[in-house]
Amino acid sequence: MINGLPFDPARMDASVPLGQTEIWRFSSDLHHPVHVHLDPFQVLRRGNRGPGEWDHGWKDTLDLLPLETAEVAIRFGDHAGKFLLHCHNLEHEDMMMMSAFETLR
Ligand SMILES: [Cu+2]
């Protein structure tokens, strides 16, 4: 689950205007490689620290460690529609650890 909810493709967990830069905060119980579709992002901080040693540059997946919180900046640019973020751990993918969001013109 994400935010305590099972995946529902009909529910949009975020609605983002195109061209807007968002700061998204991810918190974790276990290790989750969080993959966001559509646009790359940059890691701003992990917990009270800045980016980790391997966080520099553009990412499409955040390696979120157990009991960790991290913030990323994502600018949603050109494509309006419905997209997913999901955990890239295969077992978690199989259990539909996903969330849908939409970008709006
Ligand atoms: Cu996971």
Side-chain angles (χ1 to χ4, degrees):
M1 291 193 277
I2 295 178
N3 291 339
L5 298 172
F7 177 59
D8 179 350
R11 185 190 69 240
M12 295 297 112
D13 291 327
S15 297
V16 183
L18 285 181
Q20 180 161 300
T21 299
E22 296 262 307
I23 296 175
W24 285 5
R25 180 180 301 119
F26 296 102
S27 298
S28 179
D29 51 355
L30 304 171
H31 178 216
H32 298 290
V34 179
H35 176 56
V36 180
H37 287 201
L38 184 58
D39 281 307
F41 57 83
Q42 293 184 310
V43 178
L44 300 176
R45 63 185 51 87
R46 287 184 181 266
N48 295 327
R49 304 179 316 262
E53 183 179 356
W54 307 107
D55 287 333
H56 301 287
W58 292 101
K59 305 292 182 188
D60 68 6
T61 302
L62 173 70
D63 192 35
L64 193 60
L65 301 176
L67 303 178
E68 188 173 50
T69 296
E71 289 183 356
V72 304
I74 311 176
R75 182 182 180 276
F76 293 100
D78 299 326
H79 302 288
K82 297 177 179 177
F83 303 94
L84 294 171
L85 67 88
H86 64 91
C87 180
H88 243 315
N89 176 317
L90 288 178
E91 292 172 340
H92 297 177
E93 285 185 357
D94 288 347
M95 292 185 281
M96 298 198 312
M97 186 179 181
M98 293 190 282
S99 173
F101 64 94
E102 62 186 348
T103 53
L104 307 169
R105 289 199 188 283

